[in-house]
Amino acid sequence: MSLPSADELKGRWKQRVGAAKLAWGKLTEDEILKSEGRAEKLIGLVQERYAITRDEADKQVSKFFDKAR
């Protein structure tokens, strides 16, 4: 099994932006796109926008990515 390329990941992420927007309505589509599907960037955005702990943001983002598989 080969790992997906960076371009493949970015392409998939563009498809997931709508779902991310539903999950975190306070984030703009532009912010979500700029995170490029990178969990660390998304965790930071969610933590900041929703004023929650890093641990809670990590849980939310991990759950989101688990659903996407």
Side-chain angles (χ1 to χ4, degrees), residues 28-48:
T28 67
E29 188 172 321
D30 193 47
E31 288 173 320
I32 296 168
L33 281 168
K34 284 182 180 177
S35 73
E36 297 176 335
R38 294 191 198 133
E40 284 302 312
K41 283 187 175 185
L42 195 54
I43 289 167
L45 284 170
V46 171
Q47 179 187 10
E48 181 182 310

Side-chain angles (χ1 to χ4, degrees), residues 13-23 32:
W13 182 240
K14 286 180 182 174
Q15 295 171 350
R16 300 288 304 148
V17 168
K21 186 76 175 118
L22 287 174
I32 296 168

Side-chain angles (χ1 to χ4, degrees), residues 3-66:
L3 295 173
S5 71
D7 287 340
E8 286 175 316
L9 288 173
K10 283 182 184 178
R12 287 187 202 153
W13 182 240
K14 286 180 182 174
Q15 295 171 350
R16 300 288 304 148
V17 168
K21 186 76 175 118
L22 287 174
W24 301 289
K26 291 183 182 180
L27 298 180
T28 67
E29 188 172 321
D30 193 47
E31 288 173 320
I32 296 168
L33 281 168
K34 284 182 180 177
S35 73
E36 297 176 335
R38 294 191 198 133
E40 284 302 312
K41 283 187 175 185
L42 195 54
I43 289 167
L45 284 170
V46 171
Q47 179 187 10
E48 181 182 310
R49 192 58 48 89
Y50 286 88
I52 58 176
T53 64
R54 180 127 183 116
D55 189 50
E56 179 57 31
D58 187 274
K59 286 179 190 172
Q60 288 184 21
V61 171
S62 293
K63 187 176 177 181
F64 176 79
F65 281 116
D66 285 346

